[in-house]
Amino acid sequence: MSATAIEAPALPAPRRRMDPLGLLALPGIAFLFVVFLLPLALLLWSSIRGGEGFTLAGYWRVLGDEYYRGVILASLQLGLVTTSGALLLGYPAAFALARARGGWQVLLFALVFLPLTVSIIVKSFGWGIVLRRDGILNWLMLNLGLIERPVRMIFTEGALYAGMINVFLPFMVLPIYSVVRMMDPRLPDAAATLGASPWFRFTRVTLPLSLPGVVAGVSLVFSLAVAAYVTPSLLMGDRYMTMSMVMAKAFLNLRDWQLGAAMAAVLLAVAAFVVVGASLLQRRLGGGR
Amino acid sequence: MERLGLGIAWTALIIVILFLLLPILVVIPVSFTEATVFRFPPEGFSLQWYQKIRNVDGLLGALWLSAQIAALATGLSLLLGTLCAIALVRGAVPGAAAITTFMVSPLMLPGLVLGIAFLQAMREVGLRDAWWSLLLAHVVITMPFVMRTVLGSLAMFDFAMVDAARTLGCSYPVALWRVLVPNILPGFVSGALFAFIASFDNYPVSMFLVDVRTKTLPIQLLNYLEISPDPTLAAVSTGLIGLTVLVLILCDRLVGLRRMASI
């Protein structure tokens, strides 16, 4: 879950002749082939399998129907809002985290890291308590005199966005943090010695150097948020249908496998687009310097 | 201007931490309430909801099942993943980069797509046993975490050290045990931690594979939340949070927490 979260770790250059040691890779590869790749291929196959052979009916239903197009757009919008919110909050926070000293950094890091390890069900449940009519936020605002009677917050779109940002924010902060931490703090100073203004230093030195972390964080948060299931269904229910919710419904309630498989293929395409796009960007950022 | 930037950064970090901790900390006082609702501020103090955990249908069973599946899946991934990582680093395997990408690719897939693919495949081959389906699927979920961290530590390990130990009189297995293992232990621990958490918390894959009698903890919790939400759930959550903090402290003592950022 770092700057390289979506890229494989670098390997040493392969030697020419294969070693018998290489055979140790086989059990793992065979396992993933049977339990992961074959099922995935089967799923894609069933999205184009009709009553009599090949058909694109599933895709036609997903992409041609006003309702399902709306669901796809709603998921993309949810991903976009979550990602921008997380970036806006997470980018400056990652800088402060990277610049903290010694024991403070360990403590602050632990506080950002801890929520990652707490169950998403627990967090969504806690978020519900925060937003209830008799919950902590209404209680706080009432006592501060900001409002006169409790406001309905749960099951609103604003609450959904806040909940999503809450769940996915660490995935934005940590990659940016690990890039910024490695950055040489003397570089902006050097620019300052050369007479660069603070704004110039930020836009021409600091920001470009932190971009690999931003790309990693943005692609990670976007692909997670677009596919989110638990948080939207707990905070909004059927009022905000995402692609994942349609898929779950198609397979578990409607038993409409073709519809579910076609929706899964669309989501898969979005995810693949993000992953490939991010790694291309990452390569350009790395190679341009 | 410089000060302003730093001020913004620190304010953002404080907001981020408060925001992240808010939904987690809020369940703790609610779990000690005397009332039967989640009202805030909580009324009185009691441990009744902790006592009620035992009576909640299937909760302890689900906890046991999740722990079992997570531990076994993590163990299997460590075994298969480490062998594969050693082969990729040392075995001069053709297409090693492509194989590495393949081994970590389940991480990039939307969880629900993975779950649906399993569901369909299990039906196709007639595997109807929920326990086994869960275990197999969770090995796939946990594999990328193990592969990434173990590969990372192996790639940085200098195998000449093993040869050095052997010239100094260690046998090959002893050299591996006393030189290689301590060096890649941090990778092992953080990989295993992430793998365990990924399996233990998994909802989108498990939801397609459970049956009426075999339910993992997240599924059971969400069921319970939908049917009869009362502060028992807050008590369970508080227990889980305490457990997580304990595990994190343990891992920090073992390998240092900050190394985990680079998973």
Side-chain angles (χ1 to χ4, degrees):
Chain A
M1 282 161 222
S2 75
T4 52
I6 47 168
E7 270 171 37
L11 290 169
R15 283 167 294 162
R16 235 161 289 141
R17 227 177 317 128
M18 175 142 167
D19 204 279
L21 218 55
L23 295 176
L24 290 179
L26 282 181
I29 296 173
F31 183 88
L32 275 203
F33 184 81
V34 174
V35 186
F36 166 63
L37 201 60
L38 282 184
L40 209 59
L42 192 70
L43 177 69
L44 290 180
W45 167 242
S46 73
S47 73
I48 52 168
R49 184 177 52 183
E52 57 266 10
F54 174 80
T55 171
L56 284 176
Y59 291 93
W60 177 240
R61 281 170 62 200
V62 166
L63 297 173
D65 186 285
E66 190 100 18
Y67 174 71
Y68 291 121
R69 263 210 313 263
V71 168
I72 295 173
L73 286 179
S75 301
L76 291 175
Q77 185 196 337
L78 184 61
L80 218 62
V81 172
T82 307
T83 311
S84 0
L87 182 63
L88 227 57
L89 260 176
Y91 187 80
F95 265 84
L97 190 60
R99 291 282 173 264
R101 298 263 161 264
W104 275 105
Q105 196 183 45
V106 177
L107 178 71
L108 293 171
F109 177 83
L111 290 177
V112 175
F113 187 77
L114 172 75
L116 261 187
T117 57
V118 172
S119 164
I120 189 168
I121 312 274
V122 171
K123 274 188 278 186
S124 299
F125 165 65
W127 199 243
I129 298 179
V130 171
L131 296 177
R132 286 165 68 88
R133 194 176 283 272
D134 48 7
I136 183 167
L137 209 58
N138 266 320
W139 174 76
L140 217 79
M141 290 200 294
L142 276 173
N143 282 334
L144 288 176
L146 294 176
I147 48 173
E148 280 179 6
R149 65 177 75 84
V151 187
R152 196 186 76 110
M153 285 180 283
I154 202 154
F155 297 130
T156 61
E157 252 175 65
L160 172 65
Y161 293 142
M164 290 283 289
I165 293 173
N166 188 282
V167 170
F168 296 116
L169 190 51
F171 294 103
M172 183 68 81
V173 177
L174 293 180
I176 300 178
Y177 156 78
S178 54
V179 168
V180 173
R181 199 162 64 104
M182 293 299 160
M183 202 191 276
D184 191 340
R186 287 170 308 182
L187 284 173
D189 294 347
T193 338
L194 295 172
S197 70
W199 177 248
F200 191 88
R201 264 177 284 166
F202 177 73
T203 53
R204 294 299 178 86
V205 181
T206 313
L207 183 68
L209 283 173
S210 65
L211 274 186
V214 173
V215 171
V218 164
S219 58
L220 199 58
V221 171
F222 185 79
S223 49
L224 286 170
V226 141
Y229 175 81
V230 176
T231 311
S233 51
L234 268 181
L235 292 181
M236 285 296 262
D238 287 345
R239 270 155 283 209
Y240 198 107
M241 286 300 271
T242 63
M243 285 193 257
S244 289
M245 287 159 83
V246 167
M247 275 157 55
K249 216 174 185 163
F251 275 90
L252 295 177
N253 304 344
L254 309 173
R255 310 256 161 216
D256 188 343
W257 289 42
Q258 194 190 47
L259 172 71
M263 195 52 116
V266 173
L267 185 55
L268 210 56
V270 173
F273 178 78
V274 172
V275 168
V276 172
S279 71
L280 285 181
L281 256 176
Q282 216 60 289
R283 199 165 303 167
R284 268 193 64 174
L285 288 173
R289 237 159 290 277
Chain B
M1 181 84 187
E2 204 83 312
R3 285 263 173 77
L4 182 74
L6 225 60
I8 292 175
W10 278 102
T11 317
L13 182 60
I14 290 163
I15 292 175
V16 161
I17 287 175
L18 290 179
F19 178 57
L20 285 177
L21 293 182
L22 180 63
I24 299 172
L25 294 182
V26 79
V27 301
I28 298 172
V30 169
S31 73
F32 293 109
T33 183
E34 274 173 10
T36 49
V37 287
F38 306 120
R39 192 171 308 124
F40 202 90
E43 294 147 19
F45 179 88
S46 84
L47 291 173
Q48 52 169 327
W49 304 112
Y50 287 87
Q51 285 160 349
K52 287 210 170 117
I53 291 178
R54 267 179 307 157
N55 308 337
V56 176
D57 233 14
L59 202 60
L60 291 181
L63 178 68
W64 171 233
L65 175 72
S66 279
Q68 231 178 354
I69 297 280
L72 287 174
T74 304
L76 276 172
S77 290
L78 275 177
L79 181 70
L80 293 175
T82 307
L83 288 180
C84 190
I86 291 177
L88 288 173
V89 173
R90 295 295 288 165
V93 183
I99 294 173
T100 310
T101 308
F102 171 63
M103 296 298 286
V104 298
S105 60
L107 191 62
M108 309 162 197
L109 283 193
L112 242 79
V113 175
L114 220 63
I116 287 171
F118 281 128
L119 174 72
Q120 210 181 8
M122 305 286 177
R123 292 217 179 144
E124 208 81 17
V125 296
L127 178 66
R128 299 217 169 265
D129 188 76
W131 194 89
W132 279 103
S133 326
L134 280 169
L135 181 63
L136 289 176
H138 280 230
V139 174
V140 176
I141 298 169
T142 50
M143 184 77 82
F145 295 99
V146 171
M147 281 300 290
R148 288 178 48 79
T149 49
V150 175
L151 260 182
S153 358
L154 274 181
M156 281 196 288
F157 177 72
D158 185 358
F159 277 85
M161 295 203 315
V162 175
D163 300 333
R166 290 183 69 194
T167 27
L168 293 173
C170 282
S171 68
Y172 194 57
V174 172
L176 284 184
W177 177 251
R178 299 199 34 194
V179 178
L180 176 72
V181 171
N183 268 292
I184 63 170
L185 192 66
F188 253 82
V189 173
S190 55
L193 174 74
F194 271 99
F196 189 92
I197 290 170
S199 161
F200 195 77
D201 273 351
N202 185 278
Y203 188 89
V205 175
S206 302
M207 69 182 276
F208 293 102
L209 306 176
V210 294
D211 61 26
V212 189
R213 280 172 301 116
T214 322
K215 281 187 181 150
T216 59
L217 189 63
I219 310 274
Q220 190 67 268
L221 280 181
L222 203 63
N223 265 359
Y224 192 65
L225 184 60
E226 275 161 3
I227 299 164
S228 57
D230 68 27
T232 315
L233 211 59
V236 177
S237 301
T238 306
L240 284 177
I241 293 167
L243 217 63
T244 330
V245 172
L246 218 68
V247 170
L248 280 185
I249 292 175
L250 206 73
C251 287
D252 185 42
R253 288 278 166 275
L254 267 174
V255 297
L257 206 56
R258 265 184 303 170
R259 295 180 85 140
M260 301 197 171
S262 56
I263 184 180

